Amino acid sequence: MFDAEGRILYVGKAKNLRARLSSYFRASGLTTKTMALVQRIVNIEVTVTRSETEALILEQSLIKSQRPPYNVLLKDDKGYPYIFVSTADAYPRIAFHRGAKKLKGMYFGPYPNASSVRDSLNFLQKTFRIRQCEDSVFQNRSRPCLQYQIQRCSGPCVNLISPEEYAEDVRHTEMFLKGKGNAVITELADEMEAASAALDFERAAILRDQIAALRRLQADQVAEGTSGNVDVLGISTSAGITCVHVLFIRQGRILGSRSYYPTEKLGIDEVQLLSAFVPQFYLAGDREIPREVLCAAPVEDTELLEGALAEKSGHEVRLRHNLRGHRSTWVEMASQAADQNLQSRVATRKKLLDRFLDLQKVLNLEELPDRLECFDISHSAGEETVASCVVFDTGGAVKSDYRRFNIKDITPGDDFAAMAQALKRRYTRLQKGEGKFPGVLLIDGGKGQVSQAVSVLGELGVVGVQIVGVAKGTTRKAGFETLHIVDEGRETVLSADSPALHLIQQVRDEAHRFAITGHKQRRDKKRKRSTLEDIPGVGPKRRKELLRQFGGLQELQRATVSELAQVPGISRKLAEDIYSALHNQ
């Protein structure tokens, strides 16, 4: 369904197209939100597929790619983290992984969040002492690192463990990640007895500690009595907001959970919403599909959806509700978590709305400022300057509208010029229709930064945006900020318990965090980059040969042109270029 400007409003599937469309175009019985959709429909396009399964998959693909406003939208579609084991290496490493599975090795997961992966990696590092260092670090070690000293690595980089023993530790790690913890304990117990019989008590003690760690982990598990992979979906709706809470259960253990807040504008009930959530959650992304999905409410077209999930995953998938025993307990846990998280979100939104209303009073605005933008600058003594722009509305942070600007061609450390450049780039784009103008523009800084904002917006002809500078007080502590309100030409200091001040601090701190994060990423990337990479004619092979010949960049910088020219593959002309680049000549 398209609007007058050709934008997609809604995507749906139907076995009986006439009946489905008739349900939208009828004289009565429509919700207010559905009527709002119908009033905007100008054109309807139809794609015919060979089966209901193909229609379902196409529907979810279009929803994910086009994000129509009247479909149930799952905003958090970030890929899940995995544990990666590089089995192709002589001494495999174990690591955190997110993204495309391009590296050769084994992937375990997905895990519900990054903290679950890091907790698991921490346990495995202490128990089996598998290396987690990058290959570049591993290949250039001449002595054991700190991880070996604190007994979190067995020192394969300097051959302190044989390949056979290390391979056994890797095998036990893989067995544990596959959910075969009891089998690992049995094997370790047999090895411990054999080591004791051979009077190898040090080895036996290491095995004893591994067994104890595995048993403690098993004792800490909340859910027992079943095996296999199961996802549990609880749902709760209130005040026009929906929360779907997903429990991730692997090998009978609750690995973690995550709450989702799907957006829908048609006022549908929980059954319809969950029926829209399940296919989008599993079919539109690259998530692992378990053999069993337990739902707090029935799902429409269950057989069709089970068939589509089975086709994508390559194994049978069952969608279940009205459960008993521990499965009903899991569903109850997920539903309670969804309800609690939803209540917390509703309370937070109400509190945030109260802060916006108080800000309206403080700034003497006729209308509620339903959109705020805040700019901040971050750099280290002028190095790699980054400007941030964060956006808030009455629902909280609008992270999809956040922007960072890498500042260039200014005097290092000139915050005024940096602010002017960021504002000009941002509002030039807004004037071209790339986003919405805010009601209030917050500038983290004093009169100098505020004057830049006034100048830039005046030059671009932007009107209707209230500019407010947020300057730290003399103590530079929270609660003593001075607000420069440009339109009224006045300064004010709000009381420390002012809701408007709390909102300004929240937005200002988020802009500060976002700017610092971007600056650190840019700075660290630059510092990790070799100076040699910027020299024309010096590719990976020549860089490797230069560093191998001189042992490192420090010795390379001490070398003369003649010494550089003696390196295989380096001509006299190239040696002169390298020398000039290293000495800034």
Side-chain angles (χ1 to χ4, degrees), residues 186-200 204 207 211:
T186 301
E187 284 194 18
L188 293 176
D190 292 340
E191 291 181 28
M192 182 179 67
E193 291 180 1
S196 298
L199 304 181
D200 188 357
L207 295 168
I211 293 170

Side-chain angles (χ1 to χ4, degrees), residues 459-476:
E459 179 185 339
L460 296 175
V462 176
V463 295
V465 177
Q466 174 74 282
I467 302 173
V468 178
V470 185
K472 296 181 176 66
T474 53
T475 62
R476 302 186 66 82

Side-chain angles (χ1 to χ4, degrees), residues 127-140:
T127 305
F128 298 112
R129 301 172 69 185
I130 303 298
R131 75 176 182 95
Q132 294 187 27
C133 58
E134 296 286 346
D135 290 341
S136 57
V137 175
F138 176 79
Q139 294 166 0
N140 291 286

Side-chain angles (χ1 to χ4, degrees), residues 86 89-93 131 135 138 156-157 159 161-163 166 170:
S86 60
D89 297 330
Y91 289 102
R93 64 185 287 259
R131 75 176 182 95
D135 290 341
F138 176 79
C157 55
N159 300 316
I161 183 173
S162 68
Y166 191 85
V170 172

Side-chain angles (χ1 to χ4, degrees), residues 66-371:
Q66 303 297 328
R67 305 189 72 79
Y70 285 91
N71 281 97
V72 174
L73 295 180
L74 182 58
K75 291 186 177 181
D76 187 1
D77 57 358
K78 182 171 63 176
Y80 284 107
Y82 287 78
I83 290 178
F84 169 68
V85 180
S86 60
T87 52
D89 297 330
Y91 289 102
R93 64 185 287 259
I94 186 170
F96 178 100
H97 177 84
R98 195 196 293 273
K101 301 173 184 176
K102 297 180 179 179
L103 301 175
K104 189 174 182 180
M106 300 182 68
Y107 295 86
F108 298 93
Y111 286 78
N113 48 53
S115 61
S116 299
V117 175
R118 293 191 175 97
D119 288 344
S120 298
L121 288 173
N122 186 46
F123 170 79
L124 293 170
Q125 193 178 35
K126 289 190 293 185
T127 305
F128 298 112
R129 301 172 69 185
I130 303 298
R131 75 176 182 95
Q132 294 187 27
C133 58
E134 296 286 346
D135 290 341
S136 57
V137 175
F138 176 79
Q139 294 166 0
N140 291 286
R141 294 297 305 182
S142 59
R143 57 179 180 151
C145 66
L146 180 62
Q147 295 298 320
Y148 174 80
Q149 303 295 336
I150 62 176
Q151 298 184 356
R152 291 199 169 198
C153 179
S154 53
C157 55
V158 288
N159 300 316
L160 295 179
I161 183 173
S162 68
E164 294 76 20
E165 289 179 310
Y166 191 85
E168 273 297 288
D169 289 336
V170 172
R171 189 175 67 84
H172 287 148
T173 299
E174 292 173 1
M175 289 176 65
F176 172 80
L177 291 171
K178 291 176 181 177
K180 301 177 181 178
N182 289 328
V184 176
I185 291 175
T186 301
E187 284 194 18
L188 293 176
D190 292 340
E191 291 181 28
M192 182 179 67
E193 291 180 1
S196 298
L199 304 181
D200 188 357
F201 298 118
E202 290 185 1
R203 173 67 176 164
I206 293 173
L207 295 168
R208 176 203 62 199
D209 293 341
Q210 290 179 342
I211 293 170
L214 291 170
R215 291 204 180 280
R216 280 196 299 271
L217 184 68
Q218 286 184 337
D220 289 340
Q221 295 307 319
V222 177
E224 295 181 355
T226 187
S227 60
N229 297 341
V230 180
D231 284 354
V232 186
L233 278 59
I235 186 170
S236 179
T237 58
S238 176
I241 306 174
T242 300
C243 175
V244 178
H245 190 78
V246 185
L247 284 179
F248 300 90
I249 298 172
R250 298 295 180 265
Q251 303 301 329
R253 298 185 290 116
I254 299 178
L255 284 184
S257 62
R258 183 182 288 184
S259 288
Y260 299 87
Y261 300 90
T263 302
E264 63 89 16
K265 296 185 179 181
L266 295 178
I268 58 181
D269 58 27
E270 289 187 356
V271 172
Q272 294 172 310
L273 203 147
L274 198 59
S275 300
F277 175 86
V278 171
Q280 188 177 161
F281 187 69
Y282 291 110
L283 295 177
D286 189 26
R287 293 182 173 90
E288 178 193 35
I289 303 176
R291 293 184 177 274
E292 199 171 15
V293 179
L294 312 181
C295 304
V299 176
E300 298 173 345
D301 298 326
T302 301
E303 292 184 4
L304 169 63
L305 189 50
E306 286 178 341
L309 294 174
E311 183 176 312
K312 182 174 182 180
S313 64
H315 58 71
E316 184 182 11
V317 179
R318 300 295 301 275
L319 299 172
R320 300 176 182 271
H321 71 285
N322 288 336
L323 301 152
R324 298 178 180 178
H326 59 266
R327 280 174 165 75
S328 66
T329 302
W330 283 339
V331 172
E332 185 178 347
M333 288 171 58
S335 299
Q336 288 177 349
D339 190 51
Q340 291 174 357
N341 292 345
L342 184 60
Q343 290 179 16
S344 175
R345 191 177 182 91
V346 170
T348 300
R349 286 198 170 189
K350 183 179 183 303
K351 187 176 181 180
L352 190 61
L353 181 59
D354 291 340
R355 291 179 174 181
F356 270 86
L357 290 169
D358 192 56
L359 181 64
Q360 181 183 3
K361 294 178 183 178
V362 168
L363 300 180
N364 297 319
L365 299 175
E366 295 181 1
E367 297 181 353
L368 182 71
D370 58 354
R371 187 178 176 90

Side-chain angles (χ1 to χ4, degrees), residues 559-566 570-572 575-577 579-580:
T560 63
V561 173
S562 299
E563 291 173 334
L564 291 171
Q566 294 176 9
I570 304 297
S571 65
R572 179 76 184 186
E576 291 174 354
D577 292 342
Y579 184 88
S580 298

Side-chain angles (χ1 to χ4, degrees), residues 12-54:
K13 61 171 176 57
K15 186 175 181 180
N16 186 326
L17 186 61
R18 179 174 181 176
R20 179 68 188 276
L21 289 178
S22 298
S23 68
Y24 287 95
F25 298 94
R26 59 188 183 190
S28 62
L30 294 177
T31 65
T32 304
K33 295 179 179 179
T34 304
M35 291 172 64
L37 165 64
V38 173
Q39 288 175 357
R40 296 180 61 185
I41 297 173
V42 173
N43 182 35
I44 297 176
E45 290 186 1
V46 178
T47 300
V48 180
T49 61
R50 293 176 297 178
S51 66
E52 287 185 79
T53 299
E54 283 189 9

